[in-house]
Amino acid sequence: MLLEAGPEDNKVLIDMPLGFRLIRQLALFDWGYSSEAEPHAHSRSIHTPRGKVMGGSSSVNGMIYSRGHTRDYDEWENMGAKGWSFDEVLPYFKKSECSDRGASHWHGDSGPMQVSRILNDDPFVQPNREAANELGYPVVDDFESGSHEGFGLPDLTVGGGYRSNTSRAFLRPAQDRANLTIVTGAHVTRLLFERKRVTGVEYRRRGKLEKVFCEDETILCGGAYGTPQLLMLSGVGPADHLREHNIGIVTDLPGVGSGLQDHPLVPMTFRSRYPLRVRRETRIDQIVASALRWFFTGKGFLSTQPLSSVAYYKSSPALNRPDLEYVLIPTNLAARVWCPGLRKPSEDLLSVYNILLRPESRGTVRLKSSNPDVSPAIKFNLLEADHDVELLRHAINWTRELMSTQSMASLVGDESMPGDAVNSQEKLTEYIRSSVVTAQHPACTCRMGVDALSVVDPKLRVHGLEGLRVADASVMPTLIGGHTNATSVMIGERAADLIRN
């Protein structure tokens, strides 16, 4: 039985790759989470979207297929996650993937999840690659082929012009099986126990509490926020915290909800010297034509993502892997449909994401209440570590250097955010603290390992309990240096084998 709190994912905006922009703007299919006041980011609350729909966040994300660096997984094994080195997890990445690159040492071509290259004729793609050469960086055709440093374009979880989320890829082909029951609109409220064994779950559906019992195993896939919240609501977590909420203690596991990591992101914008394609494509008549083209052919503007470049780079040559990421999006993120005479188009702005891949700051997920309908207390502690601020200052200056290269300067105009006047260490720090958000890659709140603060063992079984495993991004021992969807799918593939065995 699969219990999903949200609705089915059979919605046009989910299937349409560019529909995710509207999903985010309107907060559709979302849990509605926001962080607590972030003490090192001017006490701002950070919006933290998470998918509340079949397929979870794979149904509402930006569809970037990224595994991170090969050394990330070797680090996992060194931290106690035996069996999770890169050589051991690569077969599971390949198993899940149907890549348009074909089968190779690095890729699979017969898995259920469609992965394809971006077909992009954007005028900023080639100048970015020429700028890479000016700065001494390689141009990478495939970030997932062991060449993780340099400039290029990522693959997308898109096939035939449609989003390939986990529901479309894995569930729909299996949904008619006699041994699978799918229940949507089912909000799990607690685990059920006999002593230290999980025997089932309680869930609310249509205002009614129901229970379902399981003879074998229960697997939690609630993500970096939902999984630790459900464990704590059920009496599994830091004992003192559970007592604060008058929750009976089943197992004292201090690591539940601890060690939250996400990638800090600081945006920049630059004026374009030329009209951007998005201006033309978002005019009311063009967007209607594009929607019809996508509906009938799966092609066109709405069938992919507007990306000009991604770069993974090191803040210091002494590092053994990149610690920063640059993303160039050839559009104003506030762009919207416009109509001559009724609504003006948005200003032509290029948007840049500066992303810190290996933050030192750590956060927590805690309970606000013993009521499962109350959102968890999410605190990232963004920028608590001074080193994180230092690296983001470096990233802003690095991006400025890139934009001033001969290849880019003819296309890129003035820096509109934060602006050239923000140039001292103090002003940059102020801007970073006032603008930082996350890349929405939360992980590590129920991390895998064998030490006192780990929550699951290398077979994903919760320490001290029977009949319970976790299979989601919360089990990552540390955050990977990339986007997290592909790794979460790999964890699911690995979990399936562990459960069968």
Side-chain angles (χ1 to χ4, degrees), residues 205-247:
R205 187 167 188 258
R206 296 173 181 168
K208 181 183 178 183
L209 278 179
E210 301 185 32
K211 294 180 180 178
V212 58
F213 295 93
C214 178
E215 291 182 0
D216 296 319
E217 289 188 303
T218 298
I219 300 95
L220 301 187
C221 307
Y225 307 140
T227 289
Q229 182 191 22
L230 182 59
L231 286 171
M232 289 185 285
L233 289 170
S234 306
V236 179
D240 290 343
H241 180 62
L242 300 183
R243 291 189 189 101
E244 291 174 8
H245 294 282
N246 298 314
I247 295 173

Tab-separated table of all heavy atoms in Angstrom, residues 205-247:
chain	number	residue	atom	x	y	z
A	205	ARG	N	-7.941	10.660	6.381
A	205	ARG	CA	-8.413	10.818	5.005
A	205	ARG	C	-9.869	11.244	5.038
A	205	ARG	O	-10.697	10.613	5.700
A	205	ARG	CB	-8.258	9.502	4.228
A	205	ARG	CG	-8.564	9.625	2.741
A	205	ARG	CD	-8.084	8.381	1.999
A	205	ARG	NE	-8.194	8.539	0.562
A	205	ARG	CZ	-9.178	8.008	-0.182
A	205	ARG	NH1	-10.134	7.283	0.397
A	205	ARG	NH2	-9.200	8.197	-1.488
A	206	ARG	N	-10.155	12.362	4.384
A	206	ARG	CA	-11.517	12.914	4.345
A	206	ARG	C	-12.061	13.129	5.749
A	206	ARG	O	-13.228	12.826	6.037
A	206	ARG	CB	-12.435	12.020	3.530
A	206	ARG	CG	-12.027	11.926	2.067
A	206	ARG	CD	-12.853	10.896	1.316
A	206	ARG	NE	-12.430	10.806	-0.075
A	206	ARG	CZ	-12.812	9.842	-0.906
A	206	ARG	NH1	-13.633	8.883	-0.479
A	206	ARG	NH2	-12.390	9.833	-2.161
A	207	GLY	N	-11.188	13.604	6.636
A	207	GLY	CA	-11.596	13.936	7.991
A	207	GLY	C	-11.721	12.763	8.931
A	207	GLY	O	-12.054	12.938	10.109
A	208	LYS	N	-11.418	11.564	8.464
A	208	LYS	CA	-11.587	10.361	9.279
A	208	LYS	C	-10.227	9.704	9.530
A	208	LYS	O	-9.429	9.549	8.622
A	208	LYS	CB	-12.512	9.384	8.567
A	208	LYS	CG	-12.773	8.092	9.331
A	208	LYS	CD	-13.654	7.148	8.520
A	208	LYS	CE	-13.882	5.830	9.235
A	208	LYS	NZ	-14.682	4.888	8.416
A	209	LEU	N	-9.980	9.318	10.794
A	209	LEU	CA	-8.756	8.598	11.129
A	209	LEU	C	-8.922	7.116	10.809
A	209	LEU	O	-9.928	6.498	11.176
A	209	LEU	CB	-8.411	8.764	12.606
A	209	LEU	CG	-7.676	10.044	13.011
A	209	LEU	CD1	-7.447	10.055	14.513
A	209	LEU	CD2	-6.350	10.165	12.277
A	210	GLU	N	-7.932	6.561	10.127
A	210	GLU	CA	-7.946	5.143	9.794
A	210	GLU	C	-6.602	4.545	10.158
A	210	GLU	O	-5.600	5.250	10.293
A	210	GLU	CB	-8.237	4.940	8.301
A	210	GLU	CG	-9.569	5.526	7.856
A	210	GLU	CD	-9.894	5.218	6.401
A	210	GLU	OE1	-9.480	4.134	5.932
A	210	GLU	OE2	-10.543	6.038	5.748
A	211	LYS	N	-6.580	3.225	10.311
A	211	LYS	CA	-5.335	2.511	10.600
A	211	LYS	C	-5.152	1.405	9.576
A	211	LYS	O	-6.125	0.796	9.120
A	211	LYS	CB	-5.366	1.910	12.014
A	211	LYS	CG	-5.404	2.945	13.134
A	211	LYS	CD	-5.443	2.276	14.494
A	211	LYS	CE	-5.484	3.321	15.603
A	211	LYS	NZ	-5.562	2.685	16.939
A	212	VAL	N	-3.889	1.176	9.233
A	212	VAL	CA	-3.580	0.059	8.358
A	212	VAL	C	-2.390	-0.669	8.975
A	212	VAL	O	-1.450	-0.040	9.478
A	212	VAL	CB	-3.262	0.528	6.919
A	212	VAL	CG1	-2.098	1.503	6.882
A	212	VAL	CG2	-2.995	-0.652	6.005
A	213	PHE	N	-2.458	-1.999	8.969
A	213	PHE	CA	-1.423	-2.802	9.623
A	213	PHE	C	-0.610	-3.554	8.583
A	213	PHE	O	-1.108	-3.912	7.516
A	213	PHE	CB	-2.066	-3.773	10.614
A	213	PHE	CG	-2.743	-3.062	11.746
A	213	PHE	CD1	-4.104	-2.743	11.678
A	213	PHE	CD2	-2.032	-2.680	12.862
A	213	PHE	CE1	-4.729	-2.066	12.715
A	213	PHE	CE2	-2.642	-2.005	13.903
A	213	PHE	CZ	-3.990	-1.707	13.825
A	214	CYS	N	0.643	-3.794	8.913
A	214	CYS	CA	1.594	-4.377	7.973
A	214	CYS	C	2.394	-5.470	8.675
A	214	CYS	O	2.980	-5.227	9.733
A	214	CYS	CB	2.531	-3.289	7.454
A	214	CYS	SG	3.789	-3.880	6.337
A	215	GLU	N	2.438	-6.646	8.098
A	215	GLU	CA	3.179	-7.746	8.703
A	215	GLU	C	4.675	-7.633	8.459
A	215	GLU	O	5.477	-8.123	9.247
A	215	GLU	CB	2.677	-9.084	8.140
A	215	GLU	CG	1.267	-9.433	8.576
A	215	GLU	CD	0.835	-10.790	8.044
A	215	GLU	OE1	1.645	-11.424	7.339
A	215	GLU	OE2	-0.290	-11.207	8.337
A	216	ASP	N	5.060	-6.997	7.366
A	216	ASP	CA	6.478	-6.970	6.999
A	216	ASP	C	7.113	-5.627	7.358
A	216	ASP	O	7.469	-5.411	8.497
A	216	ASP	CB	6.632	-7.285	5.509
A	216	ASP	CG	6.177	-8.698	5.192
A	216	ASP	OD1	6.480	-9.602	5.978
A	216	ASP	OD2	5.503	-8.889	4.163
A	217	GLU	N	7.226	-4.717	6.395
A	217	GLU	CA	7.949	-3.480	6.659
A	217	GLU	C	7.147	-2.241	6.273
A	217	GLU	O	6.373	-2.259	5.317
A	217	GLU	CB	9.278	-3.454	5.881
A	217	GLU	CG	10.317	-4.418	6.424
A	217	GLU	CD	11.651	-4.212	5.738
A	217	GLU	OE1	11.696	-4.304	4.502
A	217	GLU	OE2	12.643	-3.955	6.440
A	218	THR	N	7.390	-1.191	7.021
A	218	THR	CA	6.888	0.138	6.693
A	218	THR	C	8.083	0.971	6.234
A	218	THR	O	9.139	0.949	6.865
A	218	THR	CB	6.233	0.798	7.923
A	218	THR	OG1	5.116	-0.004	8.332
A	218	THR	CG2	5.779	2.207	7.618
A	219	ILE	N	7.912	1.693	5.127
A	219	ILE	CA	8.999	2.502	4.582
A	219	ILE	C	8.549	3.951	4.548
A	219	ILE	O	7.519	4.277	3.944
A	219	ILE	CB	9.404	2.036	3.156
A	219	ILE	CG1	9.879	0.581	3.166
A	219	ILE	CG2	10.516	2.917	2.604
A	219	ILE	CD1	8.811	-0.419	2.817
A	220	LEU	N	9.307	4.826	5.199
A	220	LEU	CA	8.990	6.251	5.215
A	220	LEU	C	9.713	6.945	4.067
A	220	LEU	O	10.915	6.787	3.893
A	220	LEU	CB	9.424	6.895	6.532
A	220	LEU	CG	8.823	6.328	7.823
A	220	LEU	CD1	9.232	7.189	9.011
A	220	LEU	CD2	7.312	6.244	7.723
A	221	CYS	N	8.954	7.740	3.313
A	221	CYS	CA	9.517	8.518	2.202
A	221	CYS	C	8.973	9.941	2.275
A	221	CYS	O	8.531	10.508	1.276
A	221	CYS	CB	9.164	7.886	0.863
A	221	CYS	SG	9.592	6.144	0.726
A	222	GLY	N	8.991	10.521	3.471
A	222	GLY	CA	8.407	11.842	3.680
A	222	GLY	C	9.352	12.992	3.435
A	222	GLY	O	8.977	14.150	3.586
A	223	GLY	N	10.600	12.698	3.064
A	223	GLY	CA	11.550	13.754	2.782
A	223	GLY	C	12.219	14.298	4.028
A	223	GLY	O	11.971	13.860	5.154
A	224	ALA	N	13.075	15.292	3.822
A	224	ALA	CA	13.915	15.810	4.903
A	224	ALA	C	13.122	16.535	5.982
A	224	ALA	O	13.624	16.726	7.091
A	224	ALA	CB	14.974	16.758	4.329
A	225	TYR	N	11.890	16.931	5.681
A	225	TYR	CA	11.031	17.558	6.693
A	225	TYR	C	10.000	16.570	7.229
A	225	TYR	O	9.812	16.427	8.434
A	225	TYR	CB	10.299	18.768	6.104
A	225	TYR	CG	11.169	19.785	5.438
A	225	TYR	CD1	10.767	20.396	4.248
A	225	TYR	CD2	12.403	20.149	5.980
A	225	TYR	CE1	11.573	21.344	3.622
A	225	TYR	CE2	13.209	21.092	5.353
A	225	TYR	CZ	12.785	21.683	4.179
A	225	TYR	OH	13.575	22.624	3.556
A	226	GLY	N	9.309	15.876	6.326
A	226	GLY	CA	8.197	15.027	6.738
A	226	GLY	C	8.607	13.782	7.494
A	226	GLY	O	7.929	13.379	8.446
A	227	THR	N	9.721	13.160	7.110
A	227	THR	CA	10.133	11.934	7.791
A	227	THR	C	10.526	12.179	9.247
A	227	THR	O	10.029	11.488	10.141
A	227	THR	CB	11.256	11.238	7.011
A	227	THR	OG1	10.695	10.681	5.805
A	227	THR	CG2	11.890	10.122	7.811
A	228	PRO	N	11.406	13.156	9.559
A	228	PRO	CA	11.707	13.376	10.973
A	228	PRO	C	10.493	13.845	11.765
A	228	PRO	O	10.341	13.489	12.938
A	228	PRO	CB	12.814	14.441	10.949
A	228	PRO	CG	12.736	15.067	9.612
A	228	PRO	CD	12.245	14.002	8.689
A	229	GLN	N	9.601	14.625	11.147
A	229	GLN	CA	8.398	15.054	11.859
A	229	GLN	C	7.554	13.847	12.256
A	229	GLN	O	7.108	13.734	13.413
A	229	GLN	CB	7.564	16.001	11.001
A	229	GLN	CG	6.310	16.507	11.737
A	229	GLN	CD	5.325	17.224	10.825
A	229	GLN	OE1	5.334	17.030	9.602
A	229	GLN	NE2	4.475	18.055	11.406
A	230	LEU	N	7.332	12.916	11.330
A	230	LEU	CA	6.501	11.748	11.631
A	230	LEU	C	7.164	10.860	12.679
A	230	LEU	O	6.491	10.337	13.580
A	230	LEU	CB	6.230	10.958	10.355
A	230	LEU	CG	5.339	9.732	10.533
A	230	LEU	CD1	3.977	10.111	11.103
A	230	LEU	CD2	5.169	8.998	9.202
A	231	LEU	N	8.481	10.691	12.593
A	231	LEU	CA	9.172	9.897	13.609
A	231	LEU	C	8.982	10.506	14.992
A	231	LEU	O	8.656	9.803	15.961
A	231	LEU	CB	10.657	9.794	13.271
A	231	LEU	CG	11.038	8.860	12.117
A	231	LEU	CD1	12.511	9.024	11.762
A	231	LEU	CD2	10.742	7.403	12.474
A	232	MET	N	9.163	11.813	15.099
A	232	MET	CA	9.028	12.454	16.411
A	232	MET	C	7.588	12.408	16.910
A	232	MET	O	7.346	12.174	18.103
A	232	MET	CB	9.545	13.896	16.328
A	232	MET	CG	11.059	13.971	16.193
A	232	MET	SD	11.754	15.647	16.239
A	232	MET	CE	11.313	16.253	14.610
A	233	LEU	N	6.615	12.606	16.029
A	233	LEU	CA	5.210	12.493	16.435
A	233	LEU	C	4.894	11.100	16.973
A	233	LEU	O	3.989	10.930	17.793
A	233	LEU	CB	4.291	12.803	15.257
A	233	LEU	CG	4.210	14.259	14.796
A	233	LEU	CD1	3.459	14.351	13.473
A	233	LEU	CD2	3.521	15.115	15.854
A	234	SER	N	5.687	10.110	16.527
A	234	SER	CA	5.450	8.719	16.902
A	234	SER	C	6.292	8.270	18.093
A	234	SER	O	6.256	7.091	18.458
A	234	SER	CB	5.730	7.810	15.698
A	234	SER	OG	4.991	8.221	14.568
A	235	GLY	N	7.072	9.203	18.664
A	235	GLY	CA	7.871	8.854	19.834
A	235	GLY	C	9.275	8.406	19.533
A	235	GLY	O	9.931	7.802	20.395
A	236	VAL	N	9.762	8.699	18.328
A	236	VAL	CA	11.118	8.321	17.927
A	236	VAL	C	11.891	9.606	17.647
A	236	VAL	O	11.605	10.306	16.672
A	236	VAL	CB	11.105	7.424	16.679
A	236	VAL	CG1	12.525	7.056	16.272
A	236	VAL	CG2	10.258	6.180	16.920
A	237	GLY	N	12.857	9.927	18.512
A	237	GLY	CA	13.602	11.159	18.337
A	237	GLY	C	14.295	11.582	19.615
A	237	GLY	O	14.441	10.777	20.548
A	238	PRO	N	14.737	12.854	19.683
A	238	PRO	CA	15.419	13.342	20.888
A	238	PRO	C	14.480	13.330	22.089
A	238	PRO	O	13.429	13.985	22.073
A	238	PRO	CB	15.833	14.772	20.509
A	238	PRO	CG	15.694	14.857	19.022
A	238	PRO	CD	14.626	13.885	18.646
A	239	ALA	N	14.832	12.585	23.131
A	239	ALA	CA	13.911	12.354	24.251
A	239	ALA	C	13.460	13.656	24.910
A	239	ALA	O	12.263	13.835	25.197
A	239	ALA	CB	14.573	11.438	25.277
A	240	ASP	N	14.373	14.574	25.155
A	240	ASP	CA	13.998	15.826	25.826
A	240	ASP	C	13.000	16.618	24.994
A	240	ASP	O	12.061	17.219	25.536
A	240	ASP	CB	15.241	16.675	26.107
A	240	ASP	CG	16.127	16.067	27.177
A	240	ASP	OD1	15.644	15.183	27.916
A	240	ASP	OD2	17.303	16.462	27.277
A	241	HIS	N	13.198	16.640	23.699
A	241	HIS	CA	12.279	17.378	22.817
A	241	HIS	C	10.896	16.724	22.819
A	241	HIS	O	9.868	17.413	22.830
A	241	HIS	CB	12.849	17.435	21.405
A	241	HIS	CG	11.986	18.170	20.429
A	241	HIS	ND1	11.662	19.504	20.560
A	241	HIS	CD2	11.362	17.748	19.286
A	241	HIS	CE1	10.899	19.884	19.561
A	241	HIS	NE2	10.692	18.831	18.774
A	242	LEU	N	10.854	15.408	22.805
A	242	LEU	CA	9.564	14.711	22.824
A	242	LEU	C	8.826	14.973	24.126
A	242	LEU	O	7.595	15.157	24.135
A	242	LEU	CB	9.771	13.211	22.607
A	242	LEU	CG	10.452	12.801	21.290
A	242	LEU	CD1	10.514	11.284	21.181
A	242	LEU	CD2	9.730	13.394	20.092
A	243	ARG	N	9.567	15.016	25.235
A	243	ARG	CA	8.926	15.304	26.524
A	243	ARG	C	8.314	16.698	26.544
A	243	ARG	O	7.260	16.920	27.158
A	243	ARG	CB	9.944	15.154	27.661
A	243	ARG	CG	10.404	13.719	27.911
A	243	ARG	CD	11.245	13.623	29.177
A	243	ARG	NE	11.855	12.302	29.300
A	243	ARG	CZ	13.126	12.031	29.003
A	243	ARG	NH1	13.932	13.013	28.582
A	243	ARG	NH2	13.595	10.809	29.133
A	244	GLU	N	8.945	17.645	25.874
A	244	GLU	CA	8.393	19.000	25.813
A	244	GLU	C	6.993	19.009	25.220
A	244	GLU	O	6.188	19.878	25.542
A	244	GLU	CB	9.297	19.902	24.967
A	244	GLU	CG	10.655	20.218	25.579
A	244	GLU	CD	11.536	20.984	24.601
A	244	GLU	OE1	11.019	21.386	23.525
A	244	GLU	OE2	12.727	21.182	24.905
A	245	HIS	N	6.717	18.048	24.351
A	245	HIS	CA	5.413	17.979	23.690
A	245	HIS	C	4.549	16.844	24.236
A	245	HIS	O	3.535	16.470	23.615
A	245	HIS	CB	5.615	17.814	22.181
A	245	HIS	CG	6.252	19.017	21.531
A	245	HIS	ND1	5.549	20.155	21.240
A	245	HIS	CD2	7.541	19.255	21.164
A	245	HIS	CE1	6.365	21.046	20.684
A	245	HIS	NE2	7.575	20.525	20.636
A	246	ASN	N	4.946	16.301	25.388
A	246	ASN	CA	4.175	15.232	26.048
A	246	ASN	C	3.939	14.025	25.141
A	246	ASN	O	2.857	13.427	25.130
A	246	ASN	CB	2.830	15.782	26.548
A	246	ASN	CG	3.008	16.871	27.586
A	246	ASN	OD1	3.801	16.725	28.515
A	246	ASN	ND2	2.281	17.964	27.417
A	247	ILE	N	4.982	13.684	24.396
A	247	ILE	CA	4.924	12.512	23.514
A	247	ILE	C	5.682	11.375	24.182
A	247	ILE	O	6.827	11.545	24.597
A	247	ILE	CB	5.540	12.835	22.138
A	247	ILE	CG1	4.704	13.899	21.424
A	247	ILE	CG2	5.634	11.574	21.279
A	247	ILE	CD1	5.317	14.401	20.133
